[in-house]
């Protein structure tokens, strides 16, 4: 079959499977020749346009993948293609930029950019930028070809940024030269648009250029001129450039900030909405950068670290308050009367910027925004009322409790009135419910005890009201209100929510059954609010929670008989099962052993959920079983045999790594509940744990959990863990030896901290388990490995409080249980520094450090 015909067959539902199989076969036989033929189709005028598009898409996808492991496989396959074939593929891709077809040129730009993003950083396509530059600057080339070449630069920059690849300075200079020149006013607007887009995508590579004043001035001048272009699209992207520059090069903005302020603030009123939104985005970016700078300064000050290496905050946002706040209130008043939830508008942009502004300047915003709020919140114009309410909610996170207390007290009756008023404009009611949610989240103590009952009543009314969107907001508000009682849930017989608990729970359950519950995400939010309500309930409503359990169990049972005719039906069923398992999990944790009377029916439901492989609800069902084991403790034994196969299955689900991680955590719950009663299955459990750790495809986020669970297992079976010590300690020693190769990789450094915590946790648990049967001597030979790990941790300036606590736990336990063998290490500087650091840390670290200090002192004193 001709390759063009194969591509066209991919568009036909009746032949797509066969066509894709044929392409896959060709790729397996000779990927290079397949890509070469596809590029030829893409570049040849006269070929069918759909085939040319699909050819380009196939080539691009052959070199792309979201999964890192799969991406490496594809890049390796590309590298294995003979050099001469790769060169011809590049030539073909580049020639497609000169096609007569707009679609083919754009597809060619994407293919060339994809290949360029792989080859240019590796210095294997050194003349690509020059070839693109020649196309852009050649007088004989039509504008369409120049645009395609600029688009290629833009796409390639986007790919490089996505993959966090940096370009050599000389290459960046070449790119910027052609891009900046193409943005000048003398060029056609379609060229300026492509060039401005390319600049936006390449800004982060231009650090050396922005460090040079002359080059920086040129870039800023050209970008500012582009904001005044007649073409709206160019203006939009130019403001996107300015926001990107503010993000990457805040430290260089001072000479330009007055001009940028005039440009952005002058491009809101009377401009197309897309332009106005991007102009506002500049100030949102300024606020984000200044918030980050101020946070870093506060943290450094708190920990006594030097400030000279930190960026200086220029307080641009604070200096602009008198101009910026009125501009944002103007934006708030540009509401769409019937807004599309998926469509961002100017009013939303203004609210988002106002929120960021408040978190940046904090209480300093009050004198600028409160006059607008107080004069508009009772206006006869619904737009004024809605804007005032949104403004009030937008400052909740940034302003301190003393700054807002009196205003919240005064505004709460007005907000309740707006919620209850059946004639209130729907958008005002929607925004009021959101603002109440923000108030409950950030300033719950400002709501007086006298106002709380009426506020709760109004929120419950909205749960059953006509608007699904407002009902969803009400769920969130109730969730935030319940979250405010977290610290009081376990300390008192009652709290302010107790009188309303039963009615709130019923209203939330009813809301989850609304006909529009799925459409407006009410179901998820209602059950999440119910969970938080249960978690933070006072002890006087325990009987109410107990009475709710059989009702939730019956709802869960009912899901197994739901009619399932489509994939959507299946996802709906499994989603509901997950939510109901989540509610029962919270009830188990709250009721403890009082849940026992319902345990049989609960476990029956959980096992039914788990019996469906790859079910969406699997994680929730596992967690619910873990909570039940935690509540029942040794009484969970009656369910252990039927649940055990699912433990093994979950540990083996390497590809479904979230399920695997959840299973590991639930295994820990079962170990703590049953102790030595799991001994008969330990060989298989340990074999699967070690097998998962040794699997090259295991997601790294699972590894710390797998290591930590050895602690629970060892404590559960005590000295019986002896037979697993060699293999497990070898695994722990290997994990302890891992280091970070790239010091700039923050994710890798964070993972390393978690991994080291888990190693120390596992060692402590194994030691404690062996101590129970006086077999701790088995770990003596591993003390040098632990000391090496402690030394590495001590040398890490980013060590966390949790890591210091775990280190102190190990030091104390080893000094206590392996005293004579540890004496030669106990007086070392490493041990002393850990104890000193722990003593000056948070309460948990200090407690562990005191234990370690006491045991080390006893050990050293005994040796004198």
């Amino acid at each position: 079959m001709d390759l063009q015909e194969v591509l066209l067959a991919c568009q036909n539902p009746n032949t797509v499977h066969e066509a894709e199989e044929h392409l896959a076969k060709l790729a397996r036989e000779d990927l290079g020749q397949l890509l070469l033929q596809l590029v030829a189709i893409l570049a040849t005028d006269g070929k069918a346009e759909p085939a040319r598009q699909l050819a380009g898409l196939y080539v691009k996808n052959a070199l792309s993948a979201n999964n890192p492991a799969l991406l490496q496989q594809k890049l390796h396959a590309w590298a294995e293609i003979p050099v001469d074939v790769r060169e011809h593929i590049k030539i073909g891709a580049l020639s497609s930029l000169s096609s007569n077809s707009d679609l083919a040129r754009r597809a060619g730009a994407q293919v060339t950019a994809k290949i360029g993003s792989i080859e240019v950083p590796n210095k294997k396509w050194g003349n690509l930028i020059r070839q693109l530059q020649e196309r852009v600057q050649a007088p004989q080339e039509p504008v369409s070809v120049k645009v395609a070449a600029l688009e290629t630069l833009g796409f390639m920059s986007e790919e490089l940024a996505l993959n966090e690849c940096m370009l050599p300075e000389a290459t960046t200079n070449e790119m910027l030269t052609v891009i900046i020149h193409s943005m000048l006013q003398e060029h056609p607007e379609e060229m300026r648009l492509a060039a401005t887009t390319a600049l936006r995508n390449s800004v982060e590579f231009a650090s050396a250029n922005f460090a040079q004043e002359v080059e920086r001035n040129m870039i800023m001048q050209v970008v500012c001129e582009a904001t005044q272009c007649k073409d709206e699209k160019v203006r939009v992207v130019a403001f996107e450039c300015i926001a990107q520059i503010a993000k990457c090069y805040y430290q260089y903005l001072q000479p330009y900030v007055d001009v940028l302020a005039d440009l952005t603030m002058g491009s809101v009123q009377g401009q197309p909405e897309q332009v106005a939104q991007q102009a506002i985005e500049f100030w949102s970016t300024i606020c984000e950068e200044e918030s980050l700078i101020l946070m870093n300064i506060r943290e450094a000050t708190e920990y006594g670290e030097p400030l000279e290496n930190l960026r200086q905050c220029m307080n641009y946002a604070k200096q602009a308050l008198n101009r910026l706040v009125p501009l944002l209130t103007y934006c708030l008043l540009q509401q769409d009367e019937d807004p599309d939830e998926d469509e961002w508008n100017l009013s939303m942009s203004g609210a988002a910027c106002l929120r960021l502004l408040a978190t940046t300047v904090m209480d300093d915003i009050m004198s600028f925004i409160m006059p607008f709020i107080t004069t508009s919140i009772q206006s006869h114009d619904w737009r004024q009322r809605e804007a005032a309410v949104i403004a009030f909610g937008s400052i909740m996170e940034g302003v301190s409790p003393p700054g807002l207390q009196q205003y919240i007290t005064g505004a709460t009756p007005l907000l309740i009135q707006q919620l209850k008023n059946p004639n209130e404009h729907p958008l005002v009611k929607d925004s009021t419910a959101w603002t109440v949610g923000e108030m409950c989240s950030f300033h719950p103590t400002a709501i007086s005890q006298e106002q709380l009952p009426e506020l709760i009543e109004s929120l419950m009314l909205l749960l059953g009201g006509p608007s699904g969107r407002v009902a969803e907001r009400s769920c969130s508000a109730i969730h935030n209100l319940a979250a405010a009682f977290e610290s009081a849930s376990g300390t008192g017989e009652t709290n302010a929510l107790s009188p309303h608990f039963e009615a709130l729970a019923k209203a939330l359950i009813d809301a989850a059954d609304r006909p529009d519950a799925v459409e407006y995400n009410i179901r998820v939010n209602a059950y999440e609010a119910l969970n938080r309500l249960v978690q933070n309930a006072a002890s006087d409503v325990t009987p109410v929670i107990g009475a709710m359990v059989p009702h939730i169990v019956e709802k869960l049972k009912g899901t197994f008989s739901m009619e399932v005719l489509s994939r959507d039906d299946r996802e709906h069923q499994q989603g509901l099962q997950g939510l109901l398992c989540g509610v029962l999990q919270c009830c188990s944790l709250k009721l403890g052993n009082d849940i026992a009377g319902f345990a049989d029916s609960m476990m029956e439901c959980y096992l039914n959920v788990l019996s469906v492989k790859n079910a969406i609800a699997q994680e929730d069902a596992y967690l619910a079983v873990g909570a039940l084991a935690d509540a029942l403790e040794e009484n969970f034994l009656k369910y252990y045999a039927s649940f055990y196969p699912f433990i093994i299955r979950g540990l083996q689900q390497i590809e479904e790594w979230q399920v695997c991680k959840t299973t590991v955590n639930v295994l820990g719950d079962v170990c703590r509940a049953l102790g030595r009663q799991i001994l008969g299955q330990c060989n298989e459990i340990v074999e699967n744990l070690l097998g998962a750790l040794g699997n090259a495809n295991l997601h790294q986020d699972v590894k710390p959990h797998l290591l930590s669970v050895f602690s629970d297992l060892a404590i559960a079976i005590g000295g019986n863990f002896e037979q697993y010590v060699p293999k497990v300690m070898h695994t722990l020693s290997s994990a302890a030896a891992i280091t970070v190769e790239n010091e700039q990789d923050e994710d890798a450094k964070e993972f390393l901290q978690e991994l080291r915590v888990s190693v120390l946790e596992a060692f402590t648990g194994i030691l404690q388990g062996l101590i129970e049967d006086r077999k701790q001597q088995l770990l003596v030979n591993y003390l040098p490995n632990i000391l090496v790990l402690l030394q590495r941790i001590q040398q890490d300036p980013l060590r966390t409080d949790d890591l210091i606590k775990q280190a102190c736990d190990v030091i104390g336990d080893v000094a206590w249980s392996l005293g004579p063998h540890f004496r030669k290490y106990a007086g070392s500087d490493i041990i002393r520094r850990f104890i000193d650091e722990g003593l000056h840390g948070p309460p948990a670290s200090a407690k562990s450090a005191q234990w370690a200090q006491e045991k080390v002192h006893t050990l050293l004193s005994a040796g004198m």
Side-chain angles (χ1 to χ4, degrees):
M1 187 186 296
D2 177 73
L3 189 55
Q4 178 175 255
E5 294 177 6
V6 175
L7 292 169
L8 293 173
C10 289
Q11 292 185 307
N12 187 333
N14 297 321
T15 57
V16 61
H17 179 73
E18 181 183 351
E20 288 178 347
E21 282 292 322
H22 185 68
L23 288 170
K25 178 175 178 291
L26 293 175
R28 288 192 298 270
E29 292 173 351
D30 193 332
L31 177 64
Q33 286 301 316
L34 173 61
L35 297 183
L36 187 59
Q37 292 176 51
L38 289 169
V39 165
I41 291 173
L42 171 64
T44 304
D45 287 330
K47 295 286 186 181
E49 289 219 349
R52 299 177 74 180
Q53 270 190 294
L54 287 170
L57 182 63
Y58 189 97
V59 175
K60 183 173 181 288
N61 288 345
L63 303 174
S64 307
N66 292 325
N67 181 288
L70 180 57
L71 177 60
Q72 287 306 311
Q73 290 177 16
K74 290 187 174 185
L75 294 180
H76 177 73
W78 166 258
E80 290 294 303
I81 296 173
V83 174
D84 62 322
V85 177
R86 289 209 309 270
E87 290 303 313
H88 281 95
I89 293 171
K90 295 175 193 176
I91 292 169
L94 202 56
S95 67
S96 67
L97 303 183
S98 301
S99 169
N100 294 329
S101 163
D102 291 342
L103 293 175
R105 284 195 305 275
R106 190 166 184 83
Q110 291 175 332
V111 169
T112 307
K114 170 57 72 173
I115 299 173
S117 70
I118 299 168
E119 300 285 83
V120 171
N122 295 318
K123 300 181 180 179
K124 293 182 178 179
W125 200 354
N127 63 347
L128 173 61
I129 307 301
R130 191 180 71 252
Q131 288 178 298
L132 294 171
Q133 184 178 21
E134 288 171 355
R135 279 170 165 75
V136 172
Q137 295 178 345
Q140 72 276 13
E141 291 285 7
V143 171
S144 61
V145 174
K146 298 174 188 282
V147 168
L150 289 166
E151 285 180 337
T152 302
L153 290 173
F155 290 142
M156 188 171 75
S157 298
E158 192 173 29
E159 289 279 351
L160 291 166
L162 187 65
N163 297 323
E164 299 182 350
C165 291
M166 298 305 294
L167 290 174
E169 186 176 329
T171 304
T172 303
N173 288 338
E174 279 187 311
M175 285 179 57
L176 287 178
T177 298
V178 64
I179 289 170
I180 294 299
H181 182 267
S182 302
M183 289 175 63
L184 297 177
Q185 298 179 44
E186 64 199 57
H187 294 295
E189 289 175 353
E190 54 264 47
M191 269 188 72
R192 296 184 72 188
L193 176 60
T196 308
T197 303
L199 178 63
R200 179 198 63 196
N201 293 345
S202 58
V203 161
E204 64 183 270
F205 304 120
S207 56
N209 307 85
F210 272 87
Q212 301 295 322
E213 184 178 2
V214 173
E215 293 187 47
R216 185 170 68 241
N217 286 342
M218 170 63 75
I219 294 170
M220 294 303 296
Q221 178 182 341
V222 172
V223 174
C224 289
E225 287 175 355
T227 66
Q228 305 304 299
C229 179
K230 292 180 180 179
D231 190 310
E232 177 186 333
K233 293 178 181 178
V234 175
R235 298 203 302 276
V236 169
V237 180
F239 280 118
E240 289 175 353
C241 275
I242 289 175
Q244 186 72 356
I245 290 168
K247 178 182 178 181
C248 296
Y249 307 110
Y250 173 90
Q251 68 272 28
Y252 297 130
L253 285 183
Q254 190 171 17
Y256 318 105
V257 74
D258 289 339
V259 172
L260 294 176
D262 289 341
L263 284 175
T264 52
M265 293 184 184
S267 296
V268 175
Q269 299 186 31
Q271 288 277 4
E273 186 157 310
Q274 290 297 315
V275 175
Q277 286 183 39
Q278 291 307 319
I280 292 297
E281 186 63 24
F282 167 76
W283 289 103
S284 293
T285 304
I286 290 291
C287 292
E288 288 174 337
E289 291 303 305
E290 294 193 341
S291 289
L292 180 60
I293 292 169
L294 293 170
M295 181 184 72
N296 290 337
I297 292 172
R298 286 194 296 270
E299 289 181 353
T301 303
E302 180 182 349
Y303 289 103
E305 296 172 355
L307 302 180
E308 54 265 23
N309 294 328
L310 298 178
R311 290 190 296 171
Q312 181 182 357
C313 182
M314 304 304 295
N315 293 310
Y316 297 135
K318 187 178 291 187
Q319 294 171 30
L321 279 171
N322 64 327
R323 293 180 66 189
L324 187 54
V325 172
L327 190 69
L328 295 179
T329 58
Y330 164 82
C331 293
L332 295 180
L333 288 164
Q334 309 309 304
Q335 306 99 324
D336 291 338
E337 189 159 358
D338 187 20
D340 185 339
E341 285 189 38
D342 298 326
E343 188 173 325
W344 194 253
N345 59 42
L346 184 57
S347 177
M348 295 172 181
S349 296
C353 186
L354 182 60
R355 186 188 188 101
L356 291 167
L357 183 62
T359 58
T360 304
V361 305
M362 297 187 284
D363 289 19
D364 288 336
I365 201 171
M366 292 298 285
S367 60
F368 296 92
I369 193 63
M370 286 314 299
F372 171 77
I373 294 173
T374 54
T375 57
S376 301
I377 199 167
Q378 297 186 76
S379 170
H380 294 296
D381 182 349
W382 73 264
R383 292 185 181 277
Q384 292 282 338
R385 293 197 305 277
E386 197 272 342
V389 168
I390 282 288
F392 195 41
S394 297
I395 65 173
M396 290 287 172
E397 183 178 2
V399 179
S400 67
L404 272 176
Q405 173 76 54
Q406 61 172 321
Y407 294 106
I408 289 176
T409 302
T412 299
L414 296 174
L415 297 176
I416 291 172
Q417 180 183 345
Q418 287 173 340
L419 292 177
K420 285 186 167 184
N421 183 358
N423 299 317
E424 182 57 271
H425 192 282
L427 200 56
V428 176
K429 191 166 288 193
D430 182 318
S431 299
T432 303
W434 174 79
T435 294
V436 169
E438 295 296 286
M439 191 168 69
C440 293
S441 180
F442 298 107
H443 300 277
T445 57
I447 304 170
S448 71
Q449 295 298 308
E450 294 75 24
Q451 295 171 334
L452 186 61
E454 192 176 3
L455 181 62
I456 291 173
E457 179 189 351
S458 64
L459 291 173
M460 285 195 294
L461 285 173
L462 296 180
L463 289 176
S467 170
R469 182 182 167 101
V470 174
E472 186 271 330
R473 301 279 199 206
S474 180
C475 291
S476 298
I478 293 169
H479 178 281
N480 294 342
L481 184 61
F485 289 84
E486 182 173 3
S487 59
S489 61
T491 59
E493 290 294 320
T494 189
N495 62 35
L497 286 182
S498 290
H500 315 284
F501 182 91
E502 186 171 3
L504 275 170
K506 183 179 184 307
L508 289 167
I509 293 171
D510 289 344
D513 290 334
R514 287 174 56 125
D516 57 357
V518 175
E519 179 185 356
Y520 289 99
N521 208 33
I522 297 169
R523 177 164 292 153
V524 171
N525 283 282
Y527 281 125
E528 286 182 353
L530 181 60
N531 290 346
R532 188 51 63 96
L533 204 61
V534 171
Q535 289 166 352
N536 295 344
S539 57
D540 61 340
V541 299
T542 299
V544 180
I545 297 173
M548 184 174 72
V549 170
H551 177 62
I552 300 297
V553 171
E554 286 304 311
K555 290 181 77 68
L556 182 52
K557 284 182 179 179
T559 63
F560 301 115
S561 58
M562 290 174 65
E563 187 176 41
V564 177
L565 301 176
S566 65
R567 175 182 292 183
D568 288 345
D569 289 342
R570 176 67 65 190
E571 290 181 357
H572 169 70
Q573 178 198 44
Q574 293 175 352
L576 181 55
Q577 289 171 349
L579 292 169
L580 294 169
C581 285
V583 175
L584 292 174
Q585 175 195 353
C586 293
C587 292
S588 296
L589 294 172
K590 177 59 68 173
L591 295 176
N593 200 50
D594 290 341
I595 200 76
F598 313 109
D600 287 354
S601 55
M602 291 167 70
M603 275 303 297
E604 180 185 351
C605 289
Y606 299 156
L607 295 175
N608 280 337
V609 173
L610 290 171
S611 66
V612 180
K613 290 186 178 181
N614 301 318
I616 298 170
Q618 270 194 12
E619 287 181 69
D620 297 292
Y622 274 114
L623 290 170
V625 174
L628 192 60
D630 186 65
L632 298 179
E633 297 180 330
E634 67 274 7
N635 293 324
F636 184 74
L637 183 62
K638 66 182 291 189
Y639 309 111
Y640 177 56
S642 57
F643 179 59
Y644 175 72
F646 294 103
I647 294 177
I648 298 303
R649 192 184 80 185
L651 294 178
Q652 294 173 350
Q653 291 188 245
I654 302 300
E655 297 301 324
E656 298 289 336
W657 65 270
Q658 295 97 333
V659 173
C660 184
K661 182 175 77 170
T662 301
T663 306
V664 173
N665 294 335
V666 172
L667 173 60
D669 295 330
V670 172
C671 289
R672 289 188 293 273
L674 298 183
R676 299 194 183 214
Q677 296 177 101
I678 67 168
L679 190 56
Q681 292 76 38
C682 277
N683 286 346
E684 189 177 14
I685 290 173
V686 172
E687 179 185 343
N688 277 276
L689 292 173
L690 294 175
L693 282 164
N695 193 309
N697 295 320
L698 180 72
H699 194 287
Q700 71 170 23
D701 285 359
V702 186
K703 292 180 180 179
H705 298 265
L706 283 164
L707 294 174
S708 293
V709 84
F710 285 119
S711 172
D712 298 311
L713 190 61
I715 292 172
I717 65 174
N720 294 293
F721 197 80
E722 175 182 0
Q723 59 185 308
Y724 310 117
V725 166
K727 287 186 176 180
V728 172
M729 287 306 301
H730 174 74
T731 299
L732 293 181
S733 298
S734 299
I738 293 174
T739 56
V740 173
E741 296 180 4
N742 180 6
E743 287 298 322
Q744 304 303 314
D745 191 337
E746 295 299 326
D747 290 338
K749 290 192 285 188
E750 184 178 340
F751 168 72
L752 185 63
Q753 300 278 351
E754 294 176 11
L755 194 71
R756 288 173 170 175
V757 167
S758 67
V759 170
L760 295 176
E761 282 180 348
F763 181 81
T764 300
I766 293 169
L767 179 58
Q768 291 174 358
L770 295 174
I771 288 171
E772 192 173 329
D773 292 316
R774 299 183 179 182
K775 295 182 178 181
Q776 62 267 35
Q777 303 298 321
L778 293 168
L779 296 183
V780 168
N781 292 335
Y782 301 100
L783 284 180
N785 293 346
I786 293 299
L787 265 294
V788 170
L789 175 57
L790 292 177
Q791 186 173 19
R792 285 178 176 155
I793 294 169
Q794 187 60 231
Q795 293 169 349
D796 185 353
L798 299 177
R799 57 190 176 276
T800 61
D801 291 330
D802 194 18
L803 202 45
I804 294 164
K805 175 192 177 301
Q806 293 298 333
C808 289
D809 284 339
V810 168
I811 292 167
D813 287 349
V814 170
W816 170 59
S817 60
L818 297 174
H821 304 283
F822 185 63
R823 185 178 290 116
K824 63 181 177 181
Y825 307 111
S828 67
D829 287 343
I830 293 175
I831 303 302
R832 178 183 51 78
R833 285 198 293 268
F834 266 118
I835 292 174
D836 288 346
E837 194 169 355
L839 289 171
H840 292 90
S845 299
K847 184 177 180 181
S848 296
Q850 289 166 4
W851 156 257
Q853 184 181 50
E854 176 188 332
K855 296 307 171 186
V856 168
H857 177 73
T858 301
L859 174 61
L860 293 176
S861 298
M864 293 179 181

